[in-house]
């Protein structure tokens, strides 16, 4: 798949999940670099920069995409010729993809320690990182049951229950509006992340903040699973995360409602740090209030500088 096709697939959500879009973007840049046939360094750089922009613009909310592209392009301004730049991009992309895979595995190991046998977990949408935690606990022989929300309008909950069923984890699908009613049977909520802000707020699939409110009210711990490349250096500069609004046709067939009725389809929302018990990252389980530290230590001052340049 060429870079434009990857960007289109991210936009149409054939490629989805904040981690997967990040890995796919890094690989798309690597392929674009490998396929460049000329020997003009300036032209090559320009093509890569255009590719970078196309990927970043494919979905606006998940910072994983921006971080992946930045990390893949890092050091490219000092390359002396086409070959050196090509090799740098390929090495950066490979390192990022490996890092991402290891991070999801590590999060599974760390997060699973918070799940005890006999627990009922509620998860929202379809997060590889969150499911990694649940499946790791199950693989450790713990008796875990899961409530999975449907996650309208895309119904990623169906992917979640299929994945859990294949792993042998008993799961029950519920509609999104059943969350507060079901919460009395839940011991812990485990969700993924599209972006973690420097103030510890979580940006994740629409409805996450309602799940967090219901969990907070019922004193059920709310755990977020996020690789460190899901933390946002842009938010350090006070930037607000753009919440993607998708086509209303994803929510309802326009022929079923009067023409004067407006339909909105925001696909992410923000959960403040106060409703988050902890964030499981590949470098450990942290308080949401340590988000700024994670940005500085794991993504580096360089990323904060790059974010200010955008
Ligand atoms: P992993 C998804 O977004 C969901 O919001 C999910 O919680 C998040 O990405 C993280 O997923 P979308 O692409 O990276 O379905 O943990 O809009 O797989």
């Amino acid at each position: 798949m060429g870079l434009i096709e990857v960007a289109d697939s991210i936009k149409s959500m054939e490629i989805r999940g904040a981690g997967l879009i990040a890995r796919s973007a890094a690989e798309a840049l690597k392929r674009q670099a490998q396929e460049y046939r000329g020997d003009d360094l300036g032209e090559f750089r320009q093509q890569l920069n255009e590719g970078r922009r196309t990927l970043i613009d494919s979905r606006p909310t998940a910072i994983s995409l921006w971080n992946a592209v930045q990390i893949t392009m890092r050091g490219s301004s000092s390359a002396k010729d086409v070959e050196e730049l090509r090799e740098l991009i390929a090495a950066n992309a490979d390192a990022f993809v490996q890092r991402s895979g290891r991070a999801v595995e590590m999060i599974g190991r760390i997060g699973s320690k918070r799940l005890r046998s006999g627990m009922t977990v509620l998860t929202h949408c379809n997060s590889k990182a969150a499911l990694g935690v649940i499946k790791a606990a199950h693989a450790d022989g713990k008796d875990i049951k899961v409530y999975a929300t449907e996650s309208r309008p895309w119904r990623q909950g169906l992917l979640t229950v299929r994945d859990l069923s294949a792993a042998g984890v008993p799961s029950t699908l519920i509609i999104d509006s059943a969350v507060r009613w079901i919460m009395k049977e839940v011991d812990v909520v485990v969700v993924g992340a599209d972006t973690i802000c420097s103030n510890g707020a979580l940006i994740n699939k629409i409805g996450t903040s309602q799940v967090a409110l219901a969990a907070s009210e019922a004193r059920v711990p709310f755990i977020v699973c996020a690789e460190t490349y899901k933390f946002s250096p842009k938010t350090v500069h006070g930037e607000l995360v753009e919440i993607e609004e998708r086509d209303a046709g994803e929510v309802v067939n326009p022929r079923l409602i009067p023409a004067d009725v407006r339909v909105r389809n925001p696909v992410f929302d923000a959960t403040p740090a106060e409703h988050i018990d902890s964030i499981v990252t590949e470098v450990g389980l942290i308080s949401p209030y340590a988000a700024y530290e994670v940005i500085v230590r794991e993504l580096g001052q360089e990323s904060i500088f790059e974010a200010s340049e955008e």
Side-chain angles (χ1 to χ4, degrees), residues 13 36 43 50-51 62 67 128 130 147 152 183 231 243 271:
M13 288 180 64
Y36 179 72
E43 180 189 68
E50 282 166 12
N67 276 325
K128 204 170 185 316
Y147 277 113
R152 281 268 294 147
M183 195 55 80
F231 286 67
I243 299 295
T271 301

Side-chain angles (χ1 to χ4, degrees), residues 1 11 29 54 75-76 81 97 104 127-128 141 187 209 221 288 302:
M1 228 196 269
K11 206 176 288 177
L29 274 175
T54 304
S76 57
D81 54 41
V97 171
V104 174
S127 155
K128 204 170 185 316
D187 299 300
S209 65
E302 207 172 351

Side-chain angles (χ1 to χ4, degrees), residues 91-302:
N92 283 349
D94 288 346
F96 178 79
V97 171
Q98 268 184 27
R99 168 186 173 178
S100 168
R102 277 199 307 268
V104 174
E105 203 187 306
M106 206 54 207
I107 288 169
R109 269 198 250 164
I110 298 171
S112 65
K113 292 187 189 146
R114 292 293 300 264
L115 305 187
R116 289 188 311 277
S117 210
M119 273 187 161
T120 298
V121 180
L122 185 142
T123 191
H124 184 53
C125 196
N126 178 252
S127 155
K128 204 170 185 316
L131 289 180
V133 166
I134 295 166
K135 289 195 281 183
H138 174 78
D140 284 346
K142 294 177 188 171
D143 168 26
I144 305 290
K145 290 186 189 57
V146 179
Y147 277 113
T149 56
E150 181 187 18
S151 307
R152 281 268 294 147
W154 270 76
R155 308 181 85 200
Q156 288 97 328
L158 301 185
L159 299 174
T160 294
V161 291
R162 275 182 218 139
D163 190 354
L164 290 172
S165 169
V169 182
S171 66
T172 304
L173 187 71
I174 57 169
I175 56 170
D176 302 321
S177 41
V179 164
R180 188 163 177 246
W181 176 248
I182 291 291
M183 195 55 80
K184 58 184 177 295
E185 297 174 34
V186 174
D187 299 300
V188 61
V189 173
V190 180
V191 297
D194 289 85
T195 294
I196 307 279
C197 307
S198 58
N199 65 359
L202 161 70
I203 311 295
N204 194 47
K205 183 56 55 196
I206 190 78
T208 302
S209 65
Q210 288 176 179
V211 175
L213 265 183
S216 174
E217 179 197 45
R219 294 183 168 269
V220 169
F222 183 91
I223 297 179
V224 179
C225 305
E227 305 92 297
T228 51
Y229 56 82
K230 291 178 181 166
F231 286 67
S232 170
K234 291 190 185 184
T235 56
V236 172
H237 300 285
E239 218 176 281
L240 287 171
V241 177
E242 182 184 339
I243 299 295
E244 180 183 6
E245 291 228 14
R246 295 180 65 88
D247 197 274
E250 291 180 352
V251 174
V252 65
N253 181 336
R255 278 179 307 195
L256 298 177
I257 49 166
D260 61 339
V261 173
R262 191 172 166 220
V263 178
R264 285 188 63 184
N265 184 19
V267 296
F268 299 102
D269 67 18
T271 301
E274 64 190 281
H275 291 140
I276 300 171
D277 175 89
S278 45
I279 304 178
V280 185
T281 76
E282 71 273 26
V283 293
L285 185 140
I286 62 157
S287 151
Y289 298 107
Y292 174 76
E293 296 295 322
V294 168
I295 295 169
V296 172
R297 282 202 208 168
E298 300 304 316
L299 298 169
Q301 289 292 349
E302 207 172 351

